[in-house]
Amino acid sequence: MLEPERRPVMGQKPRPRPSRRGRWVVGILAGALFAAALGSLIDDQVQAHDRFDQARTSLGVTRHETGAVSAQLTELRRNFELVTTQAGSDSTALSQDVSQLKGAQAALAADEAHVSAQSTQITSLHACLGGVERALNALSVGKQSRAITALNSVSSSCSAAASSSG
Amino acid sequence: MTIVLGAALLVAAVWTDVQERTRARHEEAALAAAGAHLASLRHDVAVTRFATAVTTGKRNALQASIAVTLSQLASTNEVLAATNVHAFLQGASIDTLQTCLGGVQNALGQISAHDTTQAAKDISSVSGPCSALDGGTSAGLVYPFDFPDPDVILVGQTYFAYATNSVAGNIQIIESTDLTHWTAVGNALPSLPTWAQAQYTWAPAVAFIGGTFVLYYAANVAGSGRECISVATASQPQGPFVDRSTAPLECQPALGGSIDPASFIDANGNLYLLWKSGGPGTSKIWSEQLSPGGTAFAAGATPTTLLVPTQEWEAGTVEAPDMVTVAGRYFLFFSGNDWETADYGVGVATCSGPLGPCNDSSPTPILSSGRGVAGPGGESVFADTTGAYWIAFHAWVPGAVGFPNSRDLYLRRLTVSGPTPVVAATG
């Protein structure tokens, strides 16, 4: 079959075709652009990867530290609870001891007052007894006036002893 | 074709880049969260440490307070216990005092009612409580009432003690079987001879001579007040002793009177009477042989001076003689200084025989004031049922020296094995 002759269609102006050189330039430019874009992307990926690696490493370190600190915190909290418990029990013990001390001090004060009163009574009784004995001795040898003097000298002591003994 | 491949490669590269960026962002976000968590934990650690430190401080303060409180409590309890013991003892002391006082008051009432026998019983019934008040038996106190110039004898298994007139009458008499517990018997000499003045009879001494108990005692002559010695007899140690004399046995008026008689029997059975004459500065101790019956001096006998004051502590007075012979040695016990002071004491001289001579070479008394004893004197020496020697003496209770305070009866062991007799430091 015969190839139709390539002739411009009547009434159409034929389009100019790029030259061969132009097509090469365009191709080279497109390739360069492509290569630049690809390079840029690869560089970006590398940087992102590096960031990822650094973050992961730091994360590992941080997680390790977190574990240690967490363990430390657990231990500290345990200690804190222990100390708090001890302080609580010590506080309770102190309250009890203070209560006992107050009781003992109150008992001591009461006893001391009792002893003081007894001492006073003993002093009075001793004085009274001495006077009565002197009166007895004086009276037994007929010295009535001396006996009366001896009794009079201890009358207040005898009265005090009698009143304190109830 | 090339373009398509390039585009595909480019798209793949973009896709991969986006994924890488996303992973990196996620990782960084996780890192930030972990960092925040770590910071939070560190904050908690700091807070917990601070809280622990604060609580530990509080706990330590509490424990210190507890230690202080426990110490105070222990101290308080100790004082409380001691105070309770003191209160208990004082309670007992008050009871004892009241018991003693009650007995003495009863005796006082009986004396006023002229019932001396009951008075003596009232007194001796509270002897134990009153002894406890005066220091108990540690110093040798055995009878805590006025019992001056005691003389103790042993008859069988019973000890009898005689003393100067007081509650029980002219001559007091008490008895004991253990030398510790004494009971009032009463008045050994209910009646006095007509020449004697009532209520001035003292310093008795009793000897068992030829089946009779012979009592020597000092008495004032009625009217003159002269101090003399008389003698009475009884068939039993409790009395009653009867003095049938019409005049004293010895007086020595020129020497200031005669008192403090004591009898002595030597190894040959010879009897002697020892006594004291005069007052401060002129006092002497005498000895004279008695007749075999003991109620008169031996025919032809004359008084011999045994002792005069030579030592500083005696202050010019020697009196209350009592002689004891041990293994051929003669010891003359005597009292020196003022009887109404705490300076009174007991000395001893060595003698060649009942009539001397005697050597008073002791610069200090063998018995003087000490714990629970003031102005001891008026002594007599006797042997107990085992043959051990004792010294009986009177003494004031410290703090109550001088008449009309009481001179109580004390007993202490006496060691006579050495060159000088030694009185035990306690009863």
Side-chain angles (χ1 to χ4, degrees), chain A residues 34 37-38 40-63 65-67 69-70 72-73 76-77 79-80 82-91 93-94 97-98 100-105 107-109 111-112 114-119 121-123 125-126 128-130 132-144 146-147 150-151 158 161 165, chain B residues 5-7 9-10 12-18 20-21 23-25 27-28 30-32 34-35 37-38 41-42 44-46 48-49 51-52 55-56 58-63 65-66 69-70 72-73 76-77 79-80 83-84 86-91 93-94 97-98 100-101 104-105 107-108 111-112 119 123 130 133-134 144-146 165-169 199-200 340 400 402-408:
Chain A
F34 176 77
L38 193 60
S40 174
L41 283 172
I42 289 170
D43 180 61
D44 197 45
Q45 278 184 29
V46 169
Q47 284 184 3
H49 196 76
D50 286 346
R51 281 173 54 203
F52 174 80
D53 285 346
Q54 285 177 358
R56 171 153 287 188
T57 302
S58 297
L59 185 59
V61 170
T62 302
R63 281 178 174 158
E65 286 183 12
T66 300
V69 171
S70 182
Q72 188 182 17
L73 181 60
L76 281 171
R77 280 180 172 154
N79 285 342
F80 176 68
L82 182 65
V83 171
T84 303
T85 304
Q86 285 179 347
S89 61
D90 286 350
S91 180
L94 180 61
D97 291 345
V98 167
Q100 279 186 19
L101 179 61
K102 284 180 179 174
Q105 284 173 336
L108 179 61
D111 280 7
E112 282 176 342
H114 182 52
V115 167
S116 176
Q118 284 185 326
S119 294
Q121 190 183 4
I122 285 173
T123 302
L125 274 168
H126 262 300
C128 179
L129 177 62
V132 174
E133 274 192 331
R134 287 194 295 277
L136 180 67
N137 294 337
L139 203 58
S140 66
V141 293
K143 298 183 183 302
Q144 278 85 355
R146 202 156 186 178
L151 283 178
C158 293
S165 66
Chain B
L5 281 175
L9 184 61
L10 200 57
V14 168
W15 174 250
T16 304
D17 186 42
V18 168
E20 282 293 332
R21 281 171 175 265
R23 280 179 60 205
R25 274 200 303 275
E27 207 66 12
E28 284 170 347
L31 177 60
H37 184 217
L38 179 59
L41 284 175
R42 282 182 168 148
D44 287 351
V45 165
T48 307
R49 274 184 175 152
T52 303
T55 308
T56 301
K58 285 181 182 174
R59 185 200 62 184
N60 291 342
L62 281 169
Q63 286 177 344
S65 297
I66 287 172
T69 306
L70 285 177
Q72 287 180 343
L73 184 60
T76 305
N77 279 334
V79 175
L80 182 60
T83 306
N84 280 334
H86 192 195
F88 176 77
L89 293 177
Q90 285 205 339
S93 180
I94 288 173
L97 262 165
Q98 287 176 332
C100 177
L101 180 58
V104 177
Q105 281 179 321
L108 187 62
I111 286 284
S112 298
I123 280 288
C130 293
L133 292 174
D134 287 340
F145 308 108
D146 200 42
N165 64 329
S166 187
V167 177
Q199 296 170 336
Y200 286 87
E340 249 193 318
F403 186 81
N405 289 300
S406 298
R407 284 174 287 174
D408 301 345

Side-chain angles (χ1 to χ4, degrees), chain B residues 22-423:
Chain B
T22 303
R23 280 179 60 205
R25 274 200 303 275
H26 284 167
E27 207 66 12
E28 284 170 347
L31 177 60
H37 184 217
L38 179 59
S40 172
L41 284 175
R42 282 182 168 148
H43 177 261
D44 287 351
V45 165
V47 168
T48 307
R49 274 184 175 152
F50 178 74
T52 303
V54 169
T55 308
T56 301
K58 285 181 182 174
R59 185 200 62 184
N60 291 342
L62 281 169
Q63 286 177 344
S65 297
I66 287 172
V68 170
T69 306
L70 285 177
S71 173
Q72 287 180 343
L73 184 60
S75 174
T76 305
N77 279 334
E78 200 172 309
V79 175
L80 182 60
T83 306
N84 280 334
V85 170
H86 192 195
F88 176 77
L89 293 177
Q90 285 205 339
S93 180
I94 288 173
D95 292 342
T96 307
L97 262 165
Q98 287 176 332
T99 303
C100 177
L101 180 58
V104 177
Q105 281 179 321
N106 289 341
L108 187 62
Q110 296 301 334
I111 286 284
S112 298
H114 306 291
D115 188 349
T116 56
T117 302
Q118 185 57 45
K121 288 178 181 175
D122 289 340
I123 280 288
S124 64
S125 70
V126 293
S127 176
C130 293
S131 290
L133 292 174
D134 287 340
T137 58
S138 61
L141 176 66
V142 294
Y143 196 66
F145 308 108
D146 200 42
F147 204 79
D149 308 310
D151 184 56
V152 178
I153 64 170
L154 173 62
V155 180
Q157 298 296 310
T158 304
Y159 301 92
F160 295 92
Y162 306 85
T164 291
N165 64 329
S166 187
V167 177
N170 297 318
I171 297 295
Q172 298 186 74
I173 177 171
I174 57 177
E175 64 180 2
S176 173
T177 55
D178 59 6
L179 292 177
T180 301
H181 303 93
W182 292 83
T183 305
V185 175
N187 186 1
L189 186 65
S191 300
L192 296 177
T194 54
W195 59 263
Q197 181 182 358
Q199 296 170 336
Y200 286 87
T201 49
W202 68 95
V206 175
F208 184 59
I209 302 169
T212 300
F213 291 91
V214 181
L215 166 68
Y216 304 94
Y217 66 99
N220 276 14
V221 176
S224 69
R226 184 186 306 150
E227 295 175 338
C228 298
I229 294 170
S230 190
V231 60
T233 58
S235 59
Q236 57 180 8
Q238 297 92 334
F241 286 87
V242 177
D243 186 346
R244 294 186 174 83
S245 67
T246 55
L249 177 66
E250 182 62 84
C251 278
Q252 296 174 296
L255 299 177
S258 304
I259 59 170
D260 294 348
S263 61
F264 175 73
I265 304 175
D266 70 8
N268 299 320
N270 297 317
L271 304 177
Y272 298 86
L273 186 71
L274 287 71
W275 73 93
K276 171 243 185 172
S277 70
T282 63
S283 64
K284 289 182 180 178
I285 289 176
W286 300 83
S287 178
E288 185 174 347
Q289 188 170 353
L290 290 164
S291 65
T295 56
F297 287 114
T302 55
T304 302
T305 302
L306 289 184
L307 196 71
V308 296
T310 57
Q311 303 297 326
E312 188 176 350
W313 72 268
E314 294 160 356
T317 296
V318 289
E319 58 190 10
D322 194 39
M323 184 172 276
V324 174
T325 180
V326 179
R329 294 175 298 158
Y330 293 85
F331 294 116
L332 175 64
F333 295 87
F334 61 94
S335 301
N337 213 303
D338 182 356
W339 68 276
E340 249 193 318
T341 70
D343 295 327
Y344 204 51
V346 175
V348 64
T350 54
C351 303
S352 300
L355 296 175
C358 298
N359 178 31
D360 177 10
S361 58
S362 56
T364 57
I366 62 168
L367 177 61
S368 57
S369 295
R371 194 173 66 83
V373 173
E379 75 295 333
S380 72
V381 174
F382 67 97
D384 65 14
T385 54
T386 67
Y389 284 93
W390 293 76
I391 184 168
F393 59 96
H394 71 232
W396 312 99
V397 174
V401 176
F403 186 81
N405 289 300
S406 298
R407 284 174 287 174
D408 301 345
L409 173 61
Y410 292 76
L411 296 178
R412 288 192 191 174
R413 293 294 294 269
L414 182 71
T415 303
V416 292
S417 56
T420 301
V422 176
V423 180

